[in-house]
Every structure is written in C-alpha cells, then in structure tokens.
Amino acid sequence: MVSLEKAVIARYSLAGHKFEILVDPNLATDVKSGKDIPINDLMAIDRVFKDANKGEEQSPETIKSTFKTEDLGEISKIIITKGEVQLTTDQRRALKEKKTQEIIAYFARHSMNPQTKAPNPPQRIENAMAEARITVDIFKPVQEQIPLILKEIKKIIPISIENLEVAIMLPAAYAGKGQSFLHRYVIKKHEWQPDGSFIAVVEIPAGLKNDIIGEMNKFTQGTANIRFIEK
C-alpha cells in the first residue's frame, strides 16, 4: 500500500457528484493502461472522498447508486480509467520516460530493417522517434501506440514488425536441454532424429535474430546448425 505522502488524487465526476481516491501514481497509470492491480497495492486508504484534500468522504448511498456496486476494487478502477489522475510534473516526466523505454524495447525486440534483415538497435529507434517528434501517451498501452509510431518512424528509418522462422538442429549431446530451451519460442515443427539430434522450426520476433544465434552457439559450443527460412 502506497503511503499518503506519495499518493496522488484520482478524480471522477458523474451525475453531479465528485468521487476522489488516493492512489499510487505509477500503479494508477498501469490501471489506465489496462492492467489488473490489487486494491491493497493501489490505494493509500480504502475510502472514497468527495474532497480528498479536506478529508470529506462521499456517502455510501451516493457511491452505491452511482456505481451500482459497493466493490471498492471496481469503483476505483472506474474512477481511474474514466477520470483524471493528478500527477506532478516530475511524475509525468518519469512515467513518460518509462513508457518511451517500453516502446523502444518493443521495437527492438519485434522489428527489423527489411532491407538488411538485421534487427534495429534501441538507439536507432530512439533517435528516429525523436526526429519524428513522437508524442508518447503515458496512459495508453504500448501495443495501442505501436501502429501510429511505426507509421511515423518509417519516414525516418527502414523498419517493419515481423516474425522470423528459423530451423535449428541440435546435436545429440545438447538435444535434451536444448529442446526445453526452445520452448520459450513458438515451435512450429519438431522431430527427433535416429542419431539423437533434435530438429525444430521456431518462430521468433525479428529483433531476436542475433540473440538466438548467439544463445544457440554458446549453448552448443558452436555445433548447432541454424538456418533462417525465407518466407
């Protein structure tokens, strides 16, 4: 539970009534982004106010008649998602930086340069976003912002969101542990060979192309056979 000193006000007005709760600013942003946050972590105090600064609580009758429920978890979610979260300038700046890094990380993992088939480094993506003057919404989920951002940074750098298929052959000495490792990806096909080796076709985000090559070569001491399949 967030302390009162660090909590901010989430405010919502409906049918002429005001509803305010004291919440963790970071977790409130997560709620606005669609995440399910436990009420005990989210709220500083289990009360709904009509004026939090004055400590004036909203009446239970008004809360129930307005929200059609007495469930504080549901009520707090409505107040946060439909209302306004009062953030300081520093809080907004920190949350914007966090969301920006999440977006950059998404592109670094899922995108590639369609001309060279190589992943796009995070710094290149960050530079392209800056040049395109991208405005990041701190309350909108990353996935919802990707299409518009992708459209804009395509004007700056060659980039596409793609998955790659890679065929991997693991020698018998590494097949047991190696096939378990590959289950972190989407395995399209797999089969065991008579000599004990393991062959799989896996689908990976384009940005992990170099990662999987490095991981497989390190794990098998360079004995894995890795081939990317052209679509």
Side-chain angles (χ1 to χ4, degrees):
M1 181 175 286
V2 63
S3 66
L4 286 171
E5 292 76 17
K6 295 182 179 179
V8 297
I9 296 173
R11 181 180 293 118
Y12 179 51
S13 296
L14 182 65
H17 300 291
K18 293 182 179 180
F19 304 91
E20 299 181 352
I21 54 177
L22 296 169
V23 296
D24 181 302
N26 295 294
L27 296 182
T29 303
D30 289 341
V31 172
K32 271 189 174 290
S33 296
K35 295 181 181 179
D36 188 18
I37 304 297
I39 188 72
N40 289 337
D41 295 335
L42 177 64
M43 295 182 66
I45 184 170
D46 297 338
R47 296 177 190 172
V48 178
F49 300 89
K50 57 182 175 181
D51 190 327
N53 288 321
K54 295 180 179 179
E56 297 179 5
E57 293 186 41
Q58 187 57 268
S59 71
E61 295 77 20
T62 299
I63 294 171
K64 185 176 180 179
S65 64
T66 302
F67 295 97
K68 311 303 180 187
T69 181
E70 295 177 305
D71 186 328
L72 189 56
E74 288 299 314
I75 293 169
S76 65
K77 183 177 180 180
I78 293 171
I79 292 174
I80 292 171
T81 55
K82 294 187 176 182
E84 180 184 3
V85 179
Q86 302 292 309
L87 299 174
T88 67
T89 300
D90 287 342
Q91 287 169 336
R92 283 187 175 275
R93 185 183 298 113
L95 289 171
K96 184 176 181 180
E97 176 60 23
K98 178 184 176 184
K99 184 73 72 171
T100 298
Q101 291 306 315
E102 289 175 355
I103 290 170
I104 291 170
Y106 180 94
F107 278 116
R109 179 180 176 87
H110 294 275
S111 77
M112 70 176 187
N113 181 329
Q115 299 173 356
T116 64
K117 307 300 182 183
N120 284 297
Q123 190 62 56
R124 181 180 301 160
I125 296 165
E126 184 173 0
N127 292 343
M129 288 177 62
E131 187 173 343
R133 297 183 179 179
I134 298 298
T135 300
V136 172
D137 188 327
I138 62 175
F139 295 123
K140 188 179 290 187
V142 168
Q143 296 261 15
E144 290 185 18
Q145 300 189 61
I146 293 301
L148 180 58
I149 295 175
L150 178 63
K151 180 181 178 181
E152 293 303 313
I153 64 177
K154 270 185 174 180
K155 302 172 183 177
I156 310 298
I157 59 174
I159 184 172
S160 61
I161 301 290
E162 295 185 34
N163 286 331
L164 302 176
E165 286 191 357
V166 53
I168 300 174
M169 188 283 290
L170 298 172
Y174 305 98
K177 291 184 178 179
Q179 63 94 18
S180 298
F181 169 85
L182 290 175
H183 276 286
R184 71 176 68 179
Y185 304 107
V186 177
I187 297 181
K188 311 284 285 190
K189 302 176 185 177
H190 72 277
E191 61 181 44
W192 288 92
Q193 300 301 298
D195 64 356
S197 61
F198 181 78
I199 298 176
V201 174
V202 300
E203 186 176 75
I204 65 170
L208 298 185
K209 180 178 181 179
N210 292 337
D211 290 356
I212 197 168
I213 292 173
E215 289 171 346
M216 286 291 93
N217 282 331
K218 181 178 180 180
F219 176 71
T220 65
Q221 299 183 34
T223 59
N225 191 323
I226 305 169
R227 178 173 60 87
F228 286 89
I229 301 171
E230 295 289 338
K231 294 183 180 180

